[in-house]
């Protein structure tokens, strides 16, 4: 990415109302540039591999100043600058990108080297259109140049068992489906990190499970395979930049030695306030503070949008779930 593109991206952030001091990280910019939008002086400050970029990224991730004695590196900068990208440009992916992402995915850890996952790469506009309708009619599934559907895949081992005439009864147990789902997730996250290192944007699409049976038919999935989630991949639209979304404070998720179920009471109000600020900056209109907004997503069967049928569907797919 050129300096000019980096500046335009940061100017876009500024034009769209980013707060003073907002970090504009340009991942893998050829010049290693990090930018900070600065309203007080009406300019964009540009730093080359700024020594405090890690602290700035941590501040963006948690919505508060966070000290860290460990020096930054490219891997940490890339991981901490992750944001979900839902707006993509028309720029096509470079030749070989898909294969490189799959190589990164296959470099992830896998239980017992069983490699119980597969991925279906969808680039055909008509198929992306059909999948977008099945995935809650989300437009970014249509507009991304590459849509990856990550599969928990026990069919390969079943096929080999039948070919070799070897028993494979373990595939009928819930443990194996969990293993395959974990394998697919680890692979996908490796691919996401690789994509972002190339300056691409990604967003996960869990709504692919809303109509899991229809998705399976669309992709021609065999028995004992299941589309766990999708992933849009493409060049971010610089006119509609995504922001780093604050997460819960570490005190809510990091438990030392034993689990403490009381810490959420001490942290939720502060996090609600942090997310309220984020929602305002992004012109988002949630259904109340973060905790109530999140609880609305788990209110009952109607909130599952078809996923309440997953046990029934998985059994129809040949998973024993014993």
């Amino acid at each position: 990415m050129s300096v000019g593109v980096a500046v335009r991206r940061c100017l876009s952030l500024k034009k769209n109302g980013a707060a003073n001091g907002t970090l504009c990280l340009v991942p893998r910019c050829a010049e290693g540039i990090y930018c900070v939008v600065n309203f007080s002086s009406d300019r964009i400050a540009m730093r080359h591999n700024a020594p405090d970029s890690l602290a700035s990224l941590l501040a963006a991730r948690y919505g508060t100043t966070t000290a860290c004695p460990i020096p930054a590196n490219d891997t940490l900068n890339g991981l901490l600058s992750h944001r979900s990208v839902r707006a993509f440009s028309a720029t096509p992916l470079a030749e070989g990108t898909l294969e490189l992402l799959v190589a990164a995915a296959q470099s992830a850890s896998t239980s017992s080297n069983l490699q119980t996952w597969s991925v279906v790469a969808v680039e055909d506009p008509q198929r992306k259109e059909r999948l977008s309708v099945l995935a809650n009619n989300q437009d970014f599934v249509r507009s991304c140049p590459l849509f990856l559907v990550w599969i928990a895949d026990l069919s390969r081992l079943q096929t080999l068992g039948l070919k070799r005439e070897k028993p494979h009864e373990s595939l009928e147990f819930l443990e194996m489906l969990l293993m395959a789902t974990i394998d697919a997730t680890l692979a996908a996250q490796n691919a996401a990190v690789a994509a972002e290192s190339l300056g691409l944007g990604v967003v996960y699409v869990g709504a692919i499970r809303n109509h899991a049976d229809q998705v399976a038919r669309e992709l021609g999935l065999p028995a004992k395979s299941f589309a766990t989630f999708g992933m849009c991949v493409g060049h971010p639209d610089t006119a509609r930049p995504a922001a780093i979304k604050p997460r819960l404070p570490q005190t809510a998720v990091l438990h030392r030695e034993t689990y403490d179920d009381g810490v959420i009471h001490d942290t939720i109000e502060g996090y609600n306030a942090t997310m309220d600020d984020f929602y305002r900056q992004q012109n988002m209109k949630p259904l109340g503070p973060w905790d109530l907004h999140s609880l609305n997503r788990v209110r009952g069967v109607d909130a599952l949008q078809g996923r309440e049928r997953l046990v029934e569907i998985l059994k129809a797919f040949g998973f024993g779930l014993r």
Side-chain angles (χ1 to χ4, degrees):
M1 183 179 297
S2 68
V3 175
V5 172
V7 171
R8 286 195 295 275
R9 180 176 293 183
C10 291
L11 282 171
S12 176
L13 272 178
K14 186 173 181 180
K15 181 178 179 181
N16 289 317
N20 182 36
T22 298
L23 180 74
C24 173
L25 175 68
V26 184
R28 301 305 180 271
C29 172
E31 292 79 10
I33 290 177
Y34 300 87
C35 306
V36 174
V37 178
N38 191 332
F39 281 138
S40 61
S41 60
D42 195 35
R43 67 183 177 86
I44 290 178
M46 304 184 69
R47 301 195 299 265
H48 285 70
N49 295 322
D52 61 342
S53 61
L54 185 58
S56 299
L57 286 169
L58 287 169
R61 182 58 69 199
Y62 293 111
T64 183
T65 302
T66 303
C68 181
I70 298 174
N73 58 50
D74 285 348
T75 300
L76 289 171
N77 284 338
L79 290 170
L80 292 172
S81 64
H82 166 75
R83 71 284 313 275
S84 294
V85 174
R86 295 177 174 85
F88 299 96
S89 75
T91 306
L93 299 182
E95 185 177 353
T97 297
L98 171 60
E99 292 77 11
L100 184 58
L101 297 186
V102 173
Q106 289 191 281
S107 299
S109 298
T110 170
S111 184
S112 302
N113 199 34
L114 294 181
Q115 305 173 68
T116 52
W117 66 273
S118 293
V119 62
V120 178
V122 180
E123 297 174 288
D124 177 66
Q126 293 182 339
R127 178 163 282 118
K128 284 190 296 178
E129 169 66 30
R130 293 192 293 270
L131 289 171
S132 72
V133 172
L134 295 175
N136 204 28
N137 206 34
Q138 297 181 104
D139 185 62
F140 40 82
V141 176
R142 299 183 185 92
S143 64
C144 69
L146 175 63
F147 186 59
L148 299 175
V149 184
W150 299 89
I151 311 299
D153 189 357
L154 299 181
S155 69
R156 188 161 46 237
L157 285 174
Q158 177 171 263
T159 298
L160 292 174
L162 293 172
K163 178 181 179 180
R164 294 285 193 173
E165 299 183 342
K166 294 293 183 179
H168 45 276
E169 185 183 358
S170 296
L171 299 181
E172 301 303 320
F173 287 80
L174 175 62
E175 160 62 16
M176 294 304 299
L177 175 58
L178 285 175
M179 178 190 295
T181 303
I182 293 167
D183 265 12
T185 305
L186 293 173
Q189 185 61 16
N190 256 32
V193 171
E196 291 177 337
S197 77
L198 298 172
L200 302 174
V202 304
V203 64
Y204 284 90
V205 182
I208 207 73
R209 298 190 299 277
N210 288 6
H211 300 282
D213 47 356
Q214 295 180 59
V215 169
R217 286 195 292 271
E218 177 65 44
L219 300 179
L221 299 185
K224 281 191 168 55
S225 64
F226 167 59
T228 56
F229 48 82
M231 178 191 290
C232 298
V233 182
H235 291 276
D237 182 350
T238 56
R240 294 183 288 170
I244 294 175
K245 184 178 292 184
R247 299 294 198 237
L248 284 164
Q250 287 193 9
T251 50
V253 301
L254 172 60
H255 303 267
R256 298 184 184 273
E257 309 301 337
T258 59
Y259 192 98
D260 181 358
D261 60 3
V263 293
I264 189 61
H265 302 295
D266 301 325
T267 58
I268 190 58
E269 293 305 324
Y271 185 61
N272 278 343
T274 296
M275 287 304 297
D276 285 345
D277 289 341
F278 177 82
Y279 293 142
R280 280 193 296 270
Q281 292 170 12
Q282 299 300 310
N283 295 317
M284 298 171 66
K285 296 180 180 179
L287 300 173
W290 177 84
D291 56 351
L292 294 182
H293 178 77
S294 299
L295 288 170
N296 184 61
R297 291 292 299 273
V298 298
R299 66 185 180 274
V301 172
D302 63 307
L304 291 172
Q305 298 183 309
R307 302 181 212 182
E308 70 277 3
R309 298 176 51 239
L310 277 180
V311 170
E312 168 194 338
I313 290 171
L314 287 169
K315 287 181 177 179
F317 285 174
F319 291 100
L321 304 183
R322 286 158 56 183

